[in-house]
Amino acid sequence: MADDFSVKEILSLCIDWSDTSTSRSTISQFVKAVGRGRVSNDERRTEKRRPVVLDIIAVPLDEDRNPCGEPFLALSRDISRGGIALLHTEPVRAPFLLLRIETLRHEVIQAVVQVIRARSFYQFTEISGRFVAKPGKKKTGRRSNKPKRQPVAG
């Protein structure tokens, strides 16, 4: 059949390339929806991890956040507002990954993660990533032209 697609081509079709970053508040809402109250008791973390197993489409990105490899499927181990742990069958060398995550309730989020660590985990590679929030407005060093409030004499 001439119209057959490879798995990698199908995975690429699932990515919305028009907006590849996500705000912190969107990530927080998504994590809350995914976790449904389950929290890890590891007190070393600043953000509570929520164990969750989801199929994730991941696209390797280079330092400039351009695709630098083929999309692949991974499984999540846990997620927090700060990051995510994934399992994959192959080593990952890209500094960033674009993730498309969908819950069982069909809530979808796309987010970029910075790969913090990739290590062997039984026959898999465990990838630990930190969510990279959408860049906000740059703050300038200028002071506001608004006059300061004067204290009310009492």
Side-chain angles (χ1 to χ4, degrees):
M1 221 185 215
D3 291 349
D4 286 349
F5 290 99
S6 73
V7 171
K8 293 175 183 175
E9 290 170 328
I10 292 170
L11 294 177
S12 290
L13 293 173
C14 295
I15 300 295
D16 177 7
W17 291 103
S18 65
D19 187 16
T20 58
S21 356
T22 305
S23 68
R24 283 271 178 225
S25 62
T26 303
I27 291 170
S28 295
Q29 290 171 354
F30 186 82
V31 169
K32 190 175 181 181
V34 167
R36 295 186 195 89
R38 297 178 298 176
V39 177
S40 172
N41 290 326
D42 189 348
E43 296 300 325
R44 296 173 297 162
R45 307 268 175 181
T46 57
E47 301 286 347
K48 297 291 185 185
R49 292 181 292 167
R50 299 176 189 279
V52 65
V53 178
L54 298 170
D55 292 326
I56 295 178
I57 298 172
V59 180
L61 303 176
D62 63 18
E63 290 288 342
D64 297 322
R65 300 191 191 155
N66 294 314
C68 66
E70 297 293 333
F72 61 88
L73 281 175
L75 288 177
S76 63
R77 288 192 68 206
D78 58 57
I79 191 170
S80 73
R81 292 185 315 172
I84 190 167
L86 306 172
L87 292 175
H88 182 45
T89 56
E90 302 290 328
V92 173
R93 292 177 180 79
F96 294 94
L97 296 172
L98 171 62
L99 305 180
R100 182 185 187 277
I101 310 166
E102 183 174 349
T103 69
L104 297 175
R105 295 181 179 178
H106 305 291
E107 297 166 293
V108 176
I109 187 174
Q110 281 193 181
V112 174
V113 295
Q114 179 181 13
V115 176
I116 303 302
R117 177 179 56 249
R119 64 182 175 184
S120 179
F121 183 77
Y122 296 97
Q123 72 267 33
F124 302 102
T125 297
E126 180 187 50
I127 305 158
S128 300
R130 179 181 303 128
F131 288 117
V132 178
K134 186 183 290 189
K137 295 179 182 177
K138 290 188 177 182
K139 294 182 180 180
T140 60
R142 295 183 192 178
R143 290 188 167 189
S144 173
N145 291 335
K146 294 181 183 178
K148 289 186 178 181
R149 289 183 150 181
Q150 298 298 322
V152 177

PDB file of all heavy atoms in Angstrom, residues 129-151:
ATOM      1  N   GLY A 129      13.385  15.065  33.522  1.00  0.00           N
ATOM      2  CA  GLY A 129      13.347  16.354  32.850  1.00  0.00           C
ATOM      3  C   GLY A 129      12.668  17.420  33.676  1.00  0.00           C
ATOM      4  O   GLY A 129      11.748  17.131  34.444  1.00  0.00           O
ATOM      5  N   ARG A 130      13.125  18.639  33.515  1.00  0.00           N
ATOM      6  CA  ARG A 130      12.555  19.810  34.185  1.00  0.00           C
ATOM      7  C   ARG A 130      11.741  20.590  33.158  1.00  0.00           C
ATOM      8  O   ARG A 130      12.241  20.901  32.069  1.00  0.00           O
ATOM      9  CB  ARG A 130      13.666  20.697  34.738  1.00  0.00           C
ATOM     10  CG  ARG A 130      13.163  21.948  35.423  1.00  0.00           C
ATOM     11  CD  ARG A 130      14.305  22.830  35.937  1.00  0.00           C
ATOM     12  NE  ARG A 130      15.171  22.083  36.840  1.00  0.00           N
ATOM     13  CZ  ARG A 130      16.499  22.010  36.725  1.00  0.00           C
ATOM     14  NH1 ARG A 130      17.114  22.642  35.742  1.00  0.00           N
ATOM     15  NH2 ARG A 130      17.201  21.320  37.579  1.00  0.00           N
ATOM     16  N   PHE A 131      10.479  20.901  33.486  1.00  0.00           N
ATOM     17  CA  PHE A 131       9.647  21.680  32.577  1.00  0.00           C
ATOM     18  C   PHE A 131      10.265  23.050  32.350  1.00  0.00           C
ATOM     19  O   PHE A 131      10.718  23.700  33.286  1.00  0.00           O
ATOM     20  CB  PHE A 131       8.230  21.855  33.120  1.00  0.00           C
ATOM     21  CG  PHE A 131       7.413  20.598  33.063  1.00  0.00           C
ATOM     22  CD1 PHE A 131       6.953  19.995  34.223  1.00  0.00           C
ATOM     23  CD2 PHE A 131       7.092  20.013  31.849  1.00  0.00           C
ATOM     24  CE1 PHE A 131       6.195  18.840  34.173  1.00  0.00           C
ATOM     25  CE2 PHE A 131       6.333  18.855  31.787  1.00  0.00           C
ATOM     26  CZ  PHE A 131       5.887  18.264  32.957  1.00  0.00           C
ATOM     27  N   VAL A 132      10.273  23.454  31.094  1.00  0.00           N
ATOM     28  CA  VAL A 132      10.768  24.778  30.713  1.00  0.00           C
ATOM     29  C   VAL A 132       9.534  25.596  30.362  1.00  0.00           C
ATOM     30  O   VAL A 132       8.852  25.306  29.384  1.00  0.00           O
ATOM     31  CB  VAL A 132      11.718  24.689  29.492  1.00  0.00           C
ATOM     32  CG1 VAL A 132      12.187  26.057  29.077  1.00  0.00           C
ATOM     33  CG2 VAL A 132      12.891  23.767  29.808  1.00  0.00           C
ATOM     34  N   ALA A 133       9.254  26.590  31.193  1.00  0.00           N
ATOM     35  CA  ALA A 133       8.050  27.396  30.995  1.00  0.00           C
ATOM     36  C   ALA A 133       8.211  28.318  29.799  1.00  0.00           C
ATOM     37  O   ALA A 133       9.321  28.685  29.405  1.00  0.00           O
ATOM     38  CB  ALA A 133       7.751  28.216  32.241  1.00  0.00           C
ATOM     39  N   LYS A 134       7.069  28.694  29.267  1.00  0.00           N
ATOM     40  CA  LYS A 134       7.030  29.646  28.163  1.00  0.00           C
ATOM     41  C   LYS A 134       7.674  30.936  28.648  1.00  0.00           C
ATOM     42  O   LYS A 134       7.389  31.404  29.741  1.00  0.00           O
ATOM     43  CB  LYS A 134       5.577  29.914  27.781  1.00  0.00           C
ATOM     44  CG  LYS A 134       5.404  30.773  26.566  1.00  0.00           C
ATOM     45  CD  LYS A 134       3.937  31.055  26.303  1.00  0.00           C
ATOM     46  CE  LYS A 134       3.237  29.793  25.847  1.00  0.00           C
ATOM     47  NZ  LYS A 134       1.865  30.041  25.385  1.00  0.00           N
ATOM     48  N   PRO A 135       8.589  31.514  27.866  1.00  0.00           N
ATOM     49  CA  PRO A 135       9.225  32.739  28.317  1.00  0.00           C
ATOM     50  C   PRO A 135       8.193  33.844  28.502  1.00  0.00           C
ATOM     51  O   PRO A 135       7.334  34.048  27.659  1.00  0.00           O
ATOM     52  CB  PRO A 135      10.215  33.104  27.206  1.00  0.00           C
ATOM     53  CG  PRO A 135      10.015  32.114  26.117  1.00  0.00           C
ATOM     54  CD  PRO A 135       9.020  31.093  26.556  1.00  0.00           C
ATOM     55  N   GLY A 136       8.292  34.529  29.648  1.00  0.00           N
ATOM     56  CA  GLY A 136       7.378  35.637  29.924  1.00  0.00           C
ATOM     57  C   GLY A 136       7.914  36.922  29.347  1.00  0.00           C
ATOM     58  O   GLY A 136       8.927  36.961  28.656  1.00  0.00           O
ATOM     59  N   LYS A 137       7.208  38.000  29.638  1.00  0.00           N
ATOM     60  CA  LYS A 137       7.661  39.307  29.181  1.00  0.00           C
ATOM     61  C   LYS A 137       8.940  39.664  29.921  1.00  0.00           C
ATOM     62  O   LYS A 137       9.065  39.442  31.121  1.00  0.00           O
ATOM     63  CB  LYS A 137       6.594  40.359  29.458  1.00  0.00           C
ATOM     64  CG  LYS A 137       5.339  40.142  28.675  1.00  0.00           C
ATOM     65  CD  LYS A 137       4.316  41.215  29.018  1.00  0.00           C
ATOM     66  CE  LYS A 137       3.022  40.966  28.264  1.00  0.00           C
ATOM     67  NZ  LYS A 137       1.991  41.938  28.630  1.00  0.00           N
ATOM     68  N   LYS A 138       9.884  40.210  29.183  1.00  0.00           N
ATOM     69  CA  LYS A 138      11.138  40.600  29.803  1.00  0.00           C
ATOM     70  C   LYS A 138      10.924  41.842  30.649  1.00  0.00           C
ATOM     71  O   LYS A 138      10.268  42.784  30.236  1.00  0.00           O
ATOM     72  CB  LYS A 138      12.211  40.870  28.752  1.00  0.00           C
ATOM     73  CG  LYS A 138      12.683  39.617  28.061  1.00  0.00           C
ATOM     74  CD  LYS A 138      13.853  39.919  27.185  1.00  0.00           C
ATOM     75  CE  LYS A 138      14.370  38.647  26.553  1.00  0.00           C
ATOM     76  NZ  LYS A 138      15.530  38.892  25.721  1.00  0.00           N
ATOM     77  N   LYS A 139      11.510  41.803  31.839  1.00  0.00           N
ATOM     78  CA  LYS A 139      11.424  42.958  32.712  1.00  0.00           C
ATOM     79  C   LYS A 139      12.577  43.883  32.394  1.00  0.00           C
ATOM     80  O   LYS A 139      13.709  43.448  32.225  1.00  0.00           O
ATOM     81  CB  LYS A 139      11.487  42.527  34.181  1.00  0.00           C
ATOM     82  CG  LYS A 139      10.294  41.711  34.595  1.00  0.00           C
ATOM     83  CD  LYS A 139      10.387  41.365  36.058  1.00  0.00           C
ATOM     84  CE  LYS A 139       9.183  40.539  36.479  1.00  0.00           C
ATOM     85  NZ  LYS A 139       9.237  40.190  37.887  1.00  0.00           N
ATOM     86  N   THR A 140      12.276  45.136  32.323  1.00  0.00           N
ATOM     87  CA  THR A 140      13.338  46.106  32.071  1.00  0.00           C
ATOM     88  C   THR A 140      13.769  46.699  33.389  1.00  0.00           C
ATOM     89  O   THR A 140      13.055  46.656  34.385  1.00  0.00           O
ATOM     90  CB  THR A 140      12.848  47.232  31.136  1.00  0.00           C
ATOM     91  OG1 THR A 140      11.751  47.893  31.763  1.00  0.00           O
ATOM     92  CG2 THR A 140      12.407  46.661  29.795  1.00  0.00           C
ATOM     93  N   GLY A 141      14.926  47.277  33.392  1.00  0.00           N
ATOM     94  CA  GLY A 141      15.454  47.891  34.597  1.00  0.00           C
ATOM     95  C   GLY A 141      14.862  49.267  34.861  1.00  0.00           C
ATOM     96  O   GLY A 141      15.183  49.908  35.849  1.00  0.00           O
ATOM     97  N   ARG A 142      14.001  49.740  33.994  1.00  0.00           N
ATOM     98  CA  ARG A 142      13.418  51.072  34.160  1.00  0.00           C
ATOM     99  C   ARG A 142      12.404  51.095  35.284  1.00  0.00           C
ATOM    100  O   ARG A 142      11.691  50.151  35.524  1.00  0.00           O
ATOM    101  CB  ARG A 142      12.696  51.497  32.880  1.00  0.00           C
ATOM    102  CG  ARG A 142      13.595  51.679  31.716  1.00  0.00           C
ATOM    103  CD  ARG A 142      12.760  52.174  30.573  1.00  0.00           C
ATOM    104  NE  ARG A 142      13.516  52.114  29.344  1.00  0.00           N
ATOM    105  CZ  ARG A 142      13.025  52.443  28.182  1.00  0.00           C
ATOM    106  NH1 ARG A 142      11.782  52.845  28.082  1.00  0.00           N
ATOM    107  NH2 ARG A 142      13.755  52.369  27.109  1.00  0.00           N
ATOM    108  N   ARG A 143      12.332  52.230  35.914  1.00  0.00           N
ATOM    109  CA  ARG A 143      11.314  52.421  36.928  1.00  0.00           C
ATOM    110  C   ARG A 143      10.061  52.951  36.273  1.00  0.00           C
ATOM    111  O   ARG A 143      10.102  53.580  35.233  1.00  0.00           O
ATOM    112  CB  ARG A 143      11.784  53.415  37.975  1.00  0.00           C
ATOM    113  CG  ARG A 143      12.888  52.851  38.835  1.00  0.00           C
ATOM    114  CD  ARG A 143      13.163  53.778  39.946  1.00  0.00           C
ATOM    115  NE  ARG A 143      13.976  53.086  40.916  1.00  0.00           N
ATOM    116  CZ  ARG A 143      14.252  53.567  42.084  1.00  0.00           C
ATOM    117  NH1 ARG A 143      13.788  54.738  42.444  1.00  0.00           N
ATOM    118  NH2 ARG A 143      14.992  52.893  42.913  1.00  0.00           N
ATOM    119  N   SER A 144       8.973  52.724  36.912  1.00  0.00           N
ATOM    120  CA  SER A 144       7.692  53.191  36.402  1.00  0.00           C
ATOM    121  C   SER A 144       7.618  54.711  36.473  1.00  0.00           C
ATOM    122  O   SER A 144       8.192  55.338  37.357  1.00  0.00           O
ATOM    123  CB  SER A 144       6.573  52.569  37.240  1.00  0.00           C
ATOM    124  OG  SER A 144       5.349  53.122  36.871  1.00  0.00           O
ATOM    125  N   ASN A 145       6.911  55.290  35.516  1.00  0.00           N
ATOM    126  CA  ASN A 145       6.708  56.735  35.527  1.00  0.00           C
ATOM    127  C   ASN A 145       5.577  57.147  36.457  1.00  0.00           C
ATOM    128  O   ASN A 145       5.309  58.334  36.611  1.00  0.00           O
ATOM    129  CB  ASN A 145       6.393  57.236  34.107  1.00  0.00           C
ATOM    130  CG  ASN A 145       7.601  57.116  33.206  1.00  0.00           C
ATOM    131  OD1 ASN A 145       8.730  57.110  33.687  1.00  0.00           O
ATOM    132  ND2 ASN A 145       7.356  56.999  31.914  1.00  0.00           N
ATOM    133  N   LYS A 146       4.902  56.178  37.050  1.00  0.00           N
ATOM    134  CA  LYS A 146       3.819  56.500  37.945  1.00  0.00           C
ATOM    135  C   LYS A 146       4.371  57.128  39.224  1.00  0.00           C
ATOM    136  O   LYS A 146       5.386  56.682  39.742  1.00  0.00           O
ATOM    137  CB  LYS A 146       3.037  55.247  38.329  1.00  0.00           C
ATOM    138  CG  LYS A 146       2.299  54.612  37.184  1.00  0.00           C
ATOM    139  CD  LYS A 146       1.554  53.403  37.677  1.00  0.00           C
ATOM    140  CE  LYS A 146       0.856  52.682  36.540  1.00  0.00           C
ATOM    141  NZ  LYS A 146       0.174  51.486  37.012  1.00  0.00           N
ATOM    142  N   PRO A 147       3.692  58.148  39.731  1.00  0.00           N
ATOM    143  CA  PRO A 147       4.153  58.746  40.988  1.00  0.00           C
ATOM    144  C   PRO A 147       3.928  57.780  42.144  1.00  0.00           C
ATOM    145  O   PRO A 147       3.002  56.982  42.129  1.00  0.00           O
ATOM    146  CB  PRO A 147       3.290  59.999  41.123  1.00  0.00           C
ATOM    147  CG  PRO A 147       2.091  59.753  40.272  1.00  0.00           C
ATOM    148  CD  PRO A 147       2.533  58.818  39.186  1.00  0.00           C
ATOM    149  N   LYS A 148       4.833  57.850  43.123  1.00  0.00           N
ATOM    150  CA  LYS A 148       4.699  57.000  44.295  1.00  0.00           C
ATOM    151  C   LYS A 148       3.534  57.492  45.125  1.00  0.00           C
ATOM    152  O   LYS A 148       3.232  58.674  45.170  1.00  0.00           O
ATOM    153  CB  LYS A 148       5.976  57.041  45.136  1.00  0.00           C
ATOM    154  CG  LYS A 148       7.124  56.342  44.510  1.00  0.00           C
ATOM    155  CD  LYS A 148       8.293  56.309  45.461  1.00  0.00           C
ATOM    156  CE  LYS A 148       9.447  55.550  44.852  1.00  0.00           C
ATOM    157  NZ  LYS A 148      10.566  55.490  45.767  1.00  0.00           N
ATOM    158  N   ARG A 149       2.896  56.539  45.823  1.00  0.00           N
ATOM    159  CA  ARG A 149       1.808  56.899  46.727  1.00  0.00           C
ATOM    160  C   ARG A 149       2.376  57.600  47.941  1.00  0.00           C
ATOM    161  O   ARG A 149       3.392  57.188  48.490  1.00  0.00           O
ATOM    162  CB  ARG A 149       1.051  55.663  47.181  1.00  0.00           C
ATOM    163  CG  ARG A 149       0.222  55.045  46.123  1.00  0.00           C
ATOM    164  CD  ARG A 149      -0.503  53.897  46.717  1.00  0.00           C
ATOM    165  NE  ARG A 149      -1.766  53.707  46.031  1.00  0.00           N
ATOM    166  CZ  ARG A 149      -2.635  52.783  46.355  1.00  0.00           C
ATOM    167  NH1 ARG A 149      -2.372  51.966  47.340  1.00  0.00           N
ATOM    168  NH2 ARG A 149      -3.753  52.677  45.697  1.00  0.00           N
ATOM    169  N   GLN A 150       1.717  58.618  48.361  1.00  0.00           N
ATOM    170  CA  GLN A 150       2.118  59.342  49.566  1.00  0.00           C
ATOM    171  C   GLN A 150       1.342  58.783  50.748  1.00  0.00           C
ATOM    172  O   GLN A 150       0.150  58.507  50.622  1.00  0.00           O
ATOM    173  CB  GLN A 150       1.838  60.843  49.399  1.00  0.00           C
ATOM    174  CG  GLN A 150       2.616  61.476  48.268  1.00  0.00           C
ATOM    175  CD  GLN A 150       4.118  61.399  48.476  1.00  0.00           C
ATOM    176  OE1 GLN A 150       4.599  61.544  49.602  1.00  0.00           O
ATOM    177  NE2 GLN A 150       4.864  61.140  47.420  1.00  0.00           N
ATOM    178  N   PRO A 151       2.008  58.623  51.892  1.00  0.00           N
ATOM    179  CA  PRO A 151       1.278  58.129  53.063  1.00  0.00           C
ATOM    180  C   PRO A 151       0.195  59.132  53.473  1.00  0.00           C
ATOM    181  O   PRO A 151       0.357  60.338  53.328  1.00  0.00           O
ATOM    182  CB  PRO A 151       2.336  57.988  54.133  1.00  0.00           C
ATOM    183  CG  PRO A 151       3.568  58.635  53.614  1.00  0.00           C
ATOM    184  CD  PRO A 151       3.381  58.865  52.142  1.00  0.00           C
TER     185      PRO A 151
END
